[in-house]
Amino acid sequence: MATFLYRLGRFSFRRRHVIALFWVALLALAGVGAAGAPAAGPTSFSIPGTEAQKAFDLLEERFPGASADGATGRVVFKAPAGEKMTDAENKAIVQKTVEELSGGSEVARVTDPYEGGGVSQDGTIAYTSVSYKVSGLELEESSRDALEGAAEDARDAGLTVEIGGDALQAVPHTGAAEVIGIGVAAVVLVITFGSLLAAGMPLLTAIIGVGIGVGTITALAGTLELDSTTPILATMIGLAVGIDYALFVVSRYRAELAEGREREEAAGRAAGTAGSAVVFAGLTVVIALVGLAVVNIPLLTKMGVAAAATVAIAVVIALTLVPALLGYAGRRVRPTGEKSGLLGGRSEKDGNERKPQRPNMGTRWASFVVRRPVAVLLLGVVGLGAAAVPAASLELGLPDDGSQPTSTTQRRAYDLMSEGFGPGFNGPLVVVVDAEGSDDPQAVFQRTSDDIKALDDVVAVAPAAPNKAGDTATITVVPESKPSSVATEDLVHGIRDAGRDITADTGADVLVTGATAMNIDVSQKLNDALVPYLILVVGLAFLLLIVVFRSILVPLKAALGFLLSVLAALGAVVAVFQWGWLSGLMNVEQTGPVMSMMPIFMVGVVFGLAMDYEVFLVTRMREAYVHGEQPSQAVVTGFRHGARVVTAAAVIMIAVFSGFIGSSESMVKMIGFGLAIAVLFDAFVVRMAIVPAVLALLGKKAWWLPKWLDRVLPNVDVEGEGLRTEDDRKDEDRALARA
């Protein structure tokens, strides 16, 4: 592989005009496609294999035209102090609002609070539900404007009015913090390279890669029914890895220049060595993201594949466009240790004599760890173990209006409903009774209602509403507890247990659906998929790393270290988003269960990103070891060449991910924080402390591989052994003799 990438790097350096034109054309094509693409249609959030989805599909079949998947809006009214919603004047305002809402072309039906039990017992709060023919993402702006306009008219008349439901669902935004993250990345790159030009290359190539990836995603969003958060997550991951991969190649190029190589040769060797590490690091990220398909949630699968495609683009750009840009830059990109004139560096014309350089920070740190491996290992493991403690209290759920900021009308509507009717009214359950095979459907409907009324945590059970054929009915159940509570989850399981008894006695199917039941089923499905996903992703990556490092213990250590950093990161997420620690700093207005997708998504993404540092740092150690250095000295050599770059890459990733904490979408905010803290733990504790400590303790055993396995495995030559010339070998022999 190293030889092929070496040739590719040299080709890209020589044919830079062709390579640059190709990527610019691809970026333009993606931009034109995104600009001309029709607006994305509705996103189908289906969860195959769950009871809630089965019930939803049954509703579509047995209640045609009911718009079961349509958007809903809930307009909640509160009377002024000392008044009631049943007062004639307030009642007239509400009825006028209902009349206004009924006139929309996309409106399926609007309930009257005074006829459907929509007034609270104390008479101070009332609500009307608006059902639409299309989903929230498909809803036209005119319908949203009409909904908000009707509510505003009622406010002007003197009532407190708020709007809940998904009718006001909007595409999330990330805010200015994302730009700040890129700014931090730029500063770190300038400090790392000591050159504005060299620092600009990783940023430029990463932006081009993300532009191509996100442009393509936008162009295909309507066709593939991609979620609105998919391009944001692709941007988050693509930007981080794109900068990192280009950083690795540019850094190795400058190191090759410092060893006296010609620029074209240096570009080829950078692509052959650092490029090999980039390929395998990218493969681990792609495996982790594509592996999300095992969860069998189409939305999550599409997000993973889209992000994986952006990562693949970043890898190819690092191997081709980066060498091409290095060709354009010429002598303006200087060898390692030289700064540009703009930053106070010396010109090559200032003289050939160089002052002897003192050991850099990476060398000093690695030397310390090699001398005190046990102490460093214990401190790192105990520290991450302490951070992981909150993960034992992890509670999973999906966000609802109750998790929205208090500044939003959705959250205020949620609170008004809780005040007037109880928290359970914000998440009613829909029980679907399929009595097609029963002799007496009406008796089955009645028994189901009676059995549900006998359960705990039930506030109200609406009469059964059968379809025209009379063989299927829906029963609306209002829990006493809020939608995301454990009590409501227990109620869903209780209804399903009662339904199994009814099925055994009558042959009718009793299914529970609705947004709350769907959230519960999603959480359970994600929990069930976590272990198989871990086995698949970690297992495949473990095999890949055996090929890269030609070792058993090094990949095993990499996987265990990753699990430790992920657990610590989950503990931090629980502490902030569930317990409320530092919630003000993170702008988390409402604590609650951690998003169901968070653990499995974090496992997938962080594993891939953690392997970036593992591959880049440890391949340098492996390279030194196979070239004749002792194991402990190889650790120090790896840090001397790689610690600065890995540190810069980690700081950049943390900055980029932290930028997404400012998102208006709670899922993006939580993922941004989780990934940032996970990179912090993994890069600076696991890879910078635990890894060298373990390798120092293992010595030569770290690189042990059974002879039979060594013969079977393909030789991918990540260390670039095939690129070494006879002069290189003589230089290394002399260096080892001096040592």
Side-chain angles (χ1 to χ4, degrees):
M1 174 177 285
T3 303
F4 168 75
L5 295 179
Y6 165 79
R7 292 171 181 167
L8 179 62
R10 293 195 64 168
F11 172 83
S12 300
F13 188 95
R14 288 196 310 271
R15 300 289 185 265
R16 45 188 172 273
H17 301 311
V18 175
I19 297 295
L21 184 61
F22 170 78
W23 286 109
V24 170
L26 209 57
L27 178 62
L29 187 63
V32 170
T43 302
S44 57
F45 186 77
S46 61
I47 314 296
T50 61
E51 180 174 315
Q53 185 65 46
K54 182 180 177 182
F56 182 83
D57 295 340
L58 186 64
L59 284 174
E60 289 284 305
E61 176 189 342
R62 301 290 174 83
F63 292 82
S67 302
D69 61 342
T72 58
R74 179 177 282 168
V75 183
V76 188
F77 308 88
K78 184 175 182 179
E83 299 181 18
K84 294 184 179 297
M85 291 305 304
T86 51
D87 294 345
E89 185 177 348
N90 293 334
K91 187 174 182 179
I93 295 171
V94 172
Q95 290 177 331
K96 181 182 177 182
T97 303
V98 171
E99 185 178 343
E100 284 184 43
L101 293 171
S102 302
S105 60
E106 293 183 314
V107 175
R109 56 190 173 278
V110 182
T111 62
D112 188 329
Y114 302 100
E115 295 180 1
V119 181
S120 63
Q121 286 188 346
D122 62 5
T124 60
I125 296 175
Y127 74 92
T128 177
S129 294
V130 186
S131 300
Y132 293 90
K133 300 173 184 176
V134 294
S135 68
L137 291 176
E138 196 179 17
L139 202 63
E140 294 181 359
E141 269 317 306
S142 58
S143 296
R144 292 194 180 93
D145 293 342
L147 179 61
E148 293 176 319
E152 190 60 38
D153 290 342
R155 288 192 193 101
D156 294 341
L159 299 179
T160 298
V161 186
E162 304 296 346
I163 306 172
D166 62 351
L168 296 184
Q169 183 176 1
V171 176
H173 62 274
T174 55
E178 180 183 350
V179 179
I180 295 173
I182 296 176
V184 172
V187 172
V188 172
L189 287 170
V190 171
I191 294 172
T192 302
F193 288 139
S195 166
L196 294 175
L197 184 63
M201 284 186 190
L203 281 176
L204 176 62
T205 54
I207 290 171
I208 290 174
V210 168
I212 293 171
V214 173
T216 304
I217 290 170
T218 304
L220 299 177
T223 304
L224 302 180
E225 295 186 359
L226 299 178
D227 182 74
S228 58
T229 59
T230 300
I232 293 180
L233 295 175
T235 300
M236 180 193 303
I237 296 167
L239 197 59
V241 300
I243 293 173
D244 278 6
Y245 296 163
L247 169 63
F248 295 160
V249 174
V250 174
S251 176
R252 186 59 185 254
Y253 171 78
R254 296 177 73 232
E256 295 292 338
L257 288 179
E259 294 182 9
R261 306 197 196 284
E262 293 297 324
R263 295 186 179 274
E264 183 179 326
E265 177 69 11
R269 284 178 174 256
T273 52
S276 296
V278 165
V279 168
F280 282 98
L283 273 175
T284 58
V285 180
V286 169
I287 287 172
L289 290 170
V290 174
L292 292 170
V294 303
V295 184
N296 196 25
I297 295 180
L299 172 64
L300 195 58
T301 300
K302 292 174 184 177
M303 287 167 56
V305 171
T310 307
V311 171
I313 292 171
V315 170
V316 180
I317 281 181
L319 299 175
T320 57
L321 184 57
V322 170
L325 293 180
L326 290 171
Y328 282 117
R331 295 184 178 276
R332 285 169 290 184
V333 174
R334 298 173 179 271
T336 300
E338 290 187 16
K339 296 182 180 179
S340 69
L342 275 174
L343 297 175
R346 293 173 49 188
S347 168
E348 293 179 0
K349 298 179 181 180
D350 292 343
N352 295 325
E353 293 185 4
R354 289 187 179 182
K355 296 180 180 179
Q357 294 183 346
R358 57 177 296 195
N360 61 20
M361 181 66 74
T363 302
R364 296 196 298 273
W365 169 250
S367 299
F368 170 78
V369 174
V370 168
R371 291 195 305 269
R372 301 284 188 273
V374 176
V376 172
L377 178 61
L378 288 176
L379 186 61
V381 171
V382 170
L384 290 180
V389 169
S393 303
L394 177 67
E395 295 177 9
L396 298 177
L398 286 178
D400 54 24
D401 285 349
S403 61
Q404 296 271 7
T406 53
S407 58
T408 62
T409 185
Q410 293 96 325
R411 172 61 189 279
R412 291 195 292 264
Y414 180 97
D415 292 340
L416 284 177
M417 288 295 296
S418 298
E419 176 187 341
F421 302 91
F425 272 79
N426 286 295
L429 306 174
V430 179
V431 179
V432 183
V433 185
D434 179 10
E436 187 177 36
S438 174
D439 296 333
D440 189 355
Q442 287 296 330
V444 174
F445 301 155
Q446 187 60 49
R447 176 182 170 179
T448 303
S449 296
D450 293 341
D451 288 357
I452 293 173
K453 289 177 183 177
L455 297 174
D456 295 333
D457 204 53
V458 174
V459 170
V461 178
N467 62 350
K468 290 183 180 179
D471 58 5
T472 307
T474 60
I475 301 172
T476 301
V477 181
V478 179
E480 183 177 352
S481 305
K482 64 181 182 179
S484 59
S485 67
V486 175
T488 300
E489 182 176 349
D490 291 341
L491 175 60
V492 170
H493 293 313
I495 295 174
R496 288 171 174 171
D497 290 340
R500 280 189 278 273
D501 294 337
I502 294 172
T503 301
D505 294 341
T506 66
D509 284 337
V510 179
L511 309 171
V512 185
T513 189
T516 301
M518 184 71 80
N519 289 352
I520 292 170
D521 286 353
V522 169
S523 298
Q524 187 61 50
K525 191 176 183 69
L526 288 165
N527 284 340
D528 294 343
L530 185 57
V531 173
Y533 176 71
L534 268 174
I535 294 172
L536 173 69
V537 172
V538 177
L540 286 175
F542 179 76
L543 295 176
L544 186 65
L545 291 179
I546 289 178
V547 175
V548 174
F549 296 129
R550 307 196 76 78
S551 163
I552 297 294
L553 296 179
V554 171
L556 180 62
K557 170 265 306 168
L560 294 177
F562 149 74
L563 292 175
L564 189 58
S565 60
V566 164
L567 286 174
L570 278 176
V573 169
V574 169
V576 173
F577 290 90
Q578 188 174 308
W579 292 359
W581 294 4
L582 301 177
S583 57
L585 181 63
M586 299 295 161
N587 196 28
V588 179
E589 296 189 19
Q590 179 65 32
T591 59
V594 172
M595 183 186 63
S596 301
M597 293 184 183
M598 189 66 196
I600 200 163
F601 193 82
M602 180 180 283
V603 165
V605 176
V606 174
F607 182 77
L609 299 181
M611 293 306 103
D612 284 358
Y613 308 124
E614 178 75 16
V615 169
F616 190 76
L617 195 60
V618 180
T619 49
R620 270 292 198 168
M621 300 177 190
R622 168 80 181 168
E623 184 177 341
Y625 176 74
V626 299
H627 290 173
E629 293 187 8
Q630 291 299 312
S632 58
Q633 183 58 39
V635 171
V636 176
T637 300
F639 267 75
R640 181 172 70 248
H641 292 295
R644 182 182 179 90
V645 178
V646 170
T647 299
V651 172
I652 289 168
M653 273 201 179
I654 292 168
V656 171
F657 289 147
S658 296
F660 290 84
I661 296 174
S663 174
S664 62
E665 176 66 44
S666 59
M667 180 175 76
V668 176
K669 179 192 292 286
M670 191 178 294
I671 288 178
F673 172 80
L675 294 182
I677 200 71
V679 169
L680 176 68
F681 288 152
D682 195 89
F684 293 106
V685 181
V686 175
R687 309 303 153 191
M688 291 291 185
I690 294 177
V691 165
V694 171
L695 290 178
L697 290 171
L698 290 176
K700 291 185 178 181
K701 295 177 183 177
W703 308 108
W704 171 78
L705 185 70
K707 291 183 179 180
W708 65 268
L709 186 57
D710 188 34
R711 290 191 298 268
V712 172
L713 291 179
N715 184 9
V716 295
D717 190 20
V718 177
E719 300 85 14
E721 181 68 18
L723 306 180
R724 296 171 68 211
T725 63
E726 187 61 33
D727 289 339
D728 292 332
R729 292 183 175 89
K730 290 179 180 178
D731 290 342
E732 288 173 7
D733 290 341
R734 284 193 292 268
L736 288 172
R738 287 195 300 270

